[in-house]
Amino acid sequence: MLKEIFEQPQAIIAACEQPKEKISELSALIKNAGRVYLAGCGSSFHACICASYFLGKIANVQAMPILASEYSVHRPFFDEKTLVLGVSQSGETADLLEALKAAKSQGAKIASIVNIMDSSVMRISDCSILMNAGPEICVLSTKSYTSQLSILLLLAHAAAGKENECKSLLKSTAQSISGSLKSLDAQMALLAKSLAKSKDIFV
């Protein structure tokens, strides 16, 4: 987990280096859709919630985050004017796959942000962006969540014609995070030592 926490700056930089045509294609789909849904599970769902704020505030696009396991509530509204953007680290999340297949069967456009090339979610998508965050072995999401947020923020800026502005913001953020992690390393070691003896921890 520590390894992946410290890889977050590189994950943000990798998010900036997406093929321009892919960002343009997906941001155009977002702008031109009659209805936009952002679907995910767990940490990816929380990234979708953030993205709904990004798109609303930056690009003036209304997007609804949905927990993929509850897609049936929204199923009556899936049609050929709908875009469903699925977010998944593995690209194999069962609930998300079921939601995307249901939306596709009703004519909706399917897009995705995934970390694994040729994953099931990527294969059923009309447009897909790879996170390029590298393997995430730890169960707790760290760099994959940071990467998802970065790409979603980049998409919101691209939809508003401000892609380069966002790339500069993300690169400076990566530098800041790198500095923060290095400066906090000793403090984290002391905190870990004190917590290690605890019987119970409430967070």
Side-chain angles (χ1 to χ4, degrees):
M1 182 173 179
L2 262 182
K3 171 184 171 290
E4 289 165 8
I5 287 171
F6 275 85
E7 287 173 352
Q8 287 179 102
Q10 292 93 328
I12 293 171
I13 295 298
C16 291
E17 295 168 352
Q18 296 296 331
K20 190 170 180 65
E21 63 275 12
K22 283 286 182 186
I23 295 294
S24 297
E25 181 184 1
L26 185 43
S27 61
L29 284 174
I30 290 169
K31 282 192 297 183
N32 296 326
R35 190 179 289 112
V36 179
Y37 288 105
L38 306 163
C41 298
S43 296
S44 296
F45 172 61
H46 289 282
C48 291
I49 294 172
C50 289
S52 70
Y53 293 122
F54 295 160
L55 287 164
K57 187 173 182 180
I58 298 163
N60 201 31
V61 170
Q62 187 177 37
M64 180 173 287
I66 60 171
L67 192 58
S69 58
E70 298 177 3
Y71 78 90
S72 59
V73 174
H74 307 277
R75 189 168 186 165
F77 308 107
F78 295 157
D79 59 28
E80 62 280 353
K81 294 178 182 178
T82 303
L83 171 69
V84 181
L85 172 56
V87 182
S88 170
Q89 195 282 133
S90 67
E92 301 295 340
T93 311
D95 287 337
L96 179 61
L97 270 168
E98 191 177 341
L100 296 180
K101 286 175 182 176
K104 191 162 192 168
S105 72
Q106 290 173 241
K109 285 276 188 188
I110 306 299
S112 60
I113 296 171
V114 295
N115 198 31
I116 308 297
M117 172 68 85
D118 205 34
S119 58
S120 298
V121 167
M122 189 176 191
R123 285 199 301 272
I124 68 166
S125 299
D126 300 298
C127 175
S128 191
I129 291 179
L130 274 171
M131 289 154 52
N132 299 321
E136 184 164 73
I137 310 303
C138 181
V139 173
L140 293 176
S141 181
T142 54
K143 64 179 181 178
S144 67
Y145 181 68
T146 309
S147 178
Q148 288 169 356
L149 287 180
S150 301
I151 293 169
L152 290 161
L153 186 65
L154 185 60
L155 283 169
H157 277 87
K162 299 177 181 178
E163 186 178 344
N164 291 334
E165 181 184 316
C166 186
K167 285 183 176 181
S168 297
L169 172 65
L170 288 172
K171 285 173 183 175
S172 65
T173 300
Q175 289 178 340
S176 297
I177 290 173
S178 184
S180 294
L181 288 171
K182 285 174 186 172
S183 67
L184 291 171
D185 198 16
Q187 291 177 50
M188 287 191 284
L190 286 171
L191 183 60
K193 191 175 179 180
S194 67
L195 291 175
K197 297 171 185 175
S198 302
K199 182 183 176 184
D200 301 294
I201 300 172
F202 291 90
V203 181

